[in-house]
Amino acid sequence: MFEHNDKTFPCATSLTMSSIGGKWKAVILMYLISKKRRYSELHQGMKSISERTLSLHLKEMERDGLVKRKVYSKKPPLKVEYELTEFGRTLIPVLNAIYDWGTAVGEAENKVKKVSI
């Protein structure tokens, strides 16, 4: 059993998946590997994610210490940027391995089209 952030997990894999699991969290993290991004940039890159879902996932990942949110203006329009924290950057090898596996599976089935992030 593992405990993290006042939650109990049956194994280390379930702990990891609680932070990056689901349809969008790993995708958001992949977009943040290369550079800081504004909310609108993230939403533009993932056109099928709803604004509510993106906002909720960013808040959850900020709470979990994976993502840092920085506000640059005190009056509208606000400039808000998101970036990986040092803790979040420890996930880069995991995210890259997931990306590589998905690419290999897609290429083996001739069902993948690479698009830069």
Side-chain angles (χ1 to χ4, degrees), residues 66-112:
L66 301 174
V67 171
K68 180 171 42 175
R69 178 180 185 264
K70 188 167 183 179
V71 180
Y72 286 96
S73 177
K74 292 185 180 185
K75 57 184 178 177
L78 295 177
K79 180 181 177 185
V80 180
E81 285 184 336
Y82 294 90
E83 67 179 312
L84 293 179
T85 62
E86 285 302 313
F87 179 58
R89 296 191 77 70
T90 64
L91 283 169
I92 291 174
V94 175
L95 295 167
N96 285 333
I98 292 168
Y99 176 87
D100 291 343
W101 184 85
T103 301
V105 169
E107 287 174 347
E109 296 176 0
N110 292 320
K111 294 181 181 178
V112 70

Side-chain angles (χ1 to χ4, degrees), residues 34-51:
S34 60
K35 65 179 186 175
K36 298 176 188 178
R37 303 229 187 219
R38 293 182 70 172
Y39 179 89
S40 60
E41 289 178 284
L42 290 168
H43 191 255
Q44 213 168 43
M46 298 173 277
K47 296 184 189 303
S48 59
I49 189 173
S50 72
E51 289 191 27

Side-chain angles (χ1 to χ4, degrees), residues 17-66:
M17 294 311 294
S18 75
S19 295
I20 66 168
K23 182 176 179 179
W24 293 108
K25 283 185 179 179
V27 177
I28 295 166
L29 293 168
M30 287 296 293
Y31 272 85
L32 294 173
I33 285 175
S34 60
K35 65 179 186 175
K36 298 176 188 178
R37 303 229 187 219
R38 293 182 70 172
Y39 179 89
S40 60
E41 289 178 284
L42 290 168
H43 191 255
Q44 213 168 43
M46 298 173 277
K47 296 184 189 303
S48 59
I49 189 173
S50 72
E51 289 191 27
R52 182 178 188 279
T53 299
L54 177 58
S55 180
L56 286 173
H57 283 327
L58 286 166
K59 285 177 185 174
E60 287 173 9
M61 290 187 293
E62 185 180 13
R63 181 199 65 217
D64 292 342
L66 301 174

